[in-house]
Amino acid sequence: MQEIPLVVSEKRLTVAAHEWLAEALFDGAFAVDATVGNGYDTLFLAHRVGPNGSVLGFDIQKPALAGAHELLRFTGKAGRVKLVHECHSRIGGYLDRDIDGAMFNLGYLPRGSHALITRPETTVSALQSILTRLKRGGRITVLAYRGHQGGPEEYFRLREFLFSLSMAEYTVDELVGKTDMPESPRLFRIQKKSNPEI
Ligand SMILES: C[S@@+](CC[C@H](N)C(=O)[O-])C[C@H]1O[C@@H](n2cnc3c(N)ncnc32)[C@H](O)[C@@H]1O
């Protein structure tokens, strides 16, 4: 059973996610973007894994992936990124190496359909698959939005799953912005301990 301390972040949660994850990435690393969307997080990961690293990205919306690919091509990073038009819960079939870092940015595509949202079952399933291939010291961020229909349920289901993680193996905390409201987003940070406490 995990303890999940609540930490107030001075920074925007998107910035806090990038800065924290960046510490687990290096030239040659392998990262996963579980929710590619417009590709901004994918581009960040592609930058951090360097010319010798690689990124695997998933989204269920083809037009979003096309836009993300264009962004990556324009910035010269497309060669180190594989984009997959598939639900992230199927990630297990695409993993051929262990993972240094992974990001989830939940909810719906900004300016896209609010009907195409991440769902608790598939989010938790993808997270489970990633955890099994996460390296020691590896990190995962999950930004959960609570302001749309289905958002609060996904947040609670995710939190419930994270509580079930072993404290000997993982550390988990939850970042909250300075102006936290019931509908404000929350950022979970999960790290696989370098030295498990057995
Ligand atoms: C908040 S947006 C991601 C924003 C993105 N990280 C960026 O930098 O622009 C959430 C994305 O998750 C995608 N999504 C929803 N369900 C998914 C699933 N089961 N597997 C993969 N992607 C999913 C949506 O299509 C949407 O593009």
Side-chain angles (χ1 to χ4, degrees):
M1 182 79 181
Q2 188 64 231
E3 276 172 16
I4 306 184
L6 208 57
V7 179
V8 177
S9 173
E10 296 295 319
K11 296 178 180 156
R12 285 173 62 95
L13 297 184
T14 45
V15 173
H18 282 191
E19 287 186 357
W20 187 73
L21 205 59
E23 292 172 23
L25 301 176
F26 51 89
D27 187 16
F30 175 49
V32 171
D33 187 347
T35 52
V36 169
N38 293 314
Y40 301 121
D41 293 322
T42 321
L43 178 60
F44 155 75
L45 294 171
H47 174 66
R48 296 304 310 187
V49 301
N52 296 305
S54 60
V55 178
L56 180 62
F58 290 83
D59 206 292
I60 51 169
Q61 298 192 58
K62 229 175 184 169
L65 289 174
H69 177 71
E70 197 48 33
L71 175 69
L72 293 162
R73 199 183 59 79
F74 185 71
T75 51
K77 304 281 190 294
R80 54 184 91 159
V81 179
K82 179 175 176 182
L83 296 176
V84 185
H85 179 219
E86 179 80 273
C87 173
H88 44 217
S89 62
R90 304 178 76 94
I91 187 173
Y94 294 86
L95 291 174
D96 54 9
R97 59 183 285 200
D98 289 341
I99 301 166
D100 295 288
M103 293 188 83
F104 289 75
N105 192 334
L106 303 179
Y108 56 85
L109 184 66
R111 299 183 300 283
S113 165
H114 289 206
L116 295 169
I117 54 171
T118 52
R119 309 269 172 197
E121 309 75 44
T122 45
T123 297
V124 168
S125 166
L127 200 47
Q128 281 173 318
S129 299
I130 291 173
L131 285 170
T132 61
R133 295 298 299 265
L134 190 66
K135 284 187 195 166
R136 296 230 158 267
R139 294 181 171 187
I140 304 172
T141 59
V142 187
L143 189 52
Y145 295 91
R146 301 183 297 171
H148 62 280
Q149 204 179 0
E153 190 204 340
E154 185 171 39
Y155 164 77
F156 283 118
R157 295 271 296 277
L158 179 63
R159 203 159 160 267
E160 193 177 66
F161 169 70
L162 294 174
F163 269 121
S164 75
L165 295 179
S166 151
M167 279 187 81
E169 278 280 346
Y170 300 99
T171 55
V172 182
D173 64 11
E174 179 177 353
L175 264 65
V176 22
K178 279 194 291 186
T179 52
D180 188 50
M181 316 270 256
E183 64 277 13
S184 301
R186 293 283 179 90
L187 174 68
F188 290 103
R189 303 189 302 185
I190 304 139
Q191 178 160 25
K192 196 168 202 167
K193 291 185 175 177
S194 301
N195 298 305
E197 296 156 15
I198 302 169

